[in-house]
Amino acid sequence: MPEVKTAPRSYLAFDYGQRRVGVATGNTLLAQAQPLTTIAAEGDARFAAIARLLKDWQPDALVVGVPLHPDGQSHDNTLQAQRYARQLHGRF
């Protein structure tokens, strides 16, 4: 069976924090990510900054890092990052 080639996909990845959100960009062509910016805004201003990034970068998908304890168990930040991912999904 011949190999099916797909177009490279681009991503914006978010590292959620209560005060700041780190943003990185990556793609499947190079299979690597690079830091892009840090968003220090909160509430609606944070989502406005993300909307501008989405307009500029036009990624194929968004990724949110979900922190876990070393043993794989969740903690308070895990739940907050998952909530943030749902908010991104709902808005964008």
Side-chain angles (χ1 to χ4, degrees):
M1 182 175 260
E3 182 180 328
V4 177
K5 302 227 179 198
T6 60
R9 293 180 51 95
S10 63
Y11 301 91
L12 279 183
F14 299 90
D15 183 16
Y16 173 78
Q18 290 181 348
R19 292 189 179 101
R20 290 179 295 280
V21 174
V23 184
T25 183
N27 63 60
T28 56
L29 181 64
L30 299 175
Q32 62 184 15
Q34 293 184 300
L36 182 61
T37 190
T38 301
I39 300 171
E42 295 183 21
D44 287 338
R46 178 181 286 178
F47 288 109
I50 292 169
R52 287 190 296 275
L53 288 172
L54 294 176
K55 182 180 176 189
D56 291 346
W57 287 88
Q58 299 181 8
D60 295 305
L62 306 180
V63 177
V64 176
V66 178
L68 299 170
H69 285 293
D71 65 359
Q73 296 296 314
S74 63
H75 51 76
D76 290 342
N77 291 341
T78 304
L79 300 176
Q80 291 174 359
Q82 290 170 334
R83 179 177 180 259
Y84 181 71
R86 288 191 300 273
Q87 289 174 332
L88 283 177
H89 184 263
R91 287 182 183 242
F92 305 109

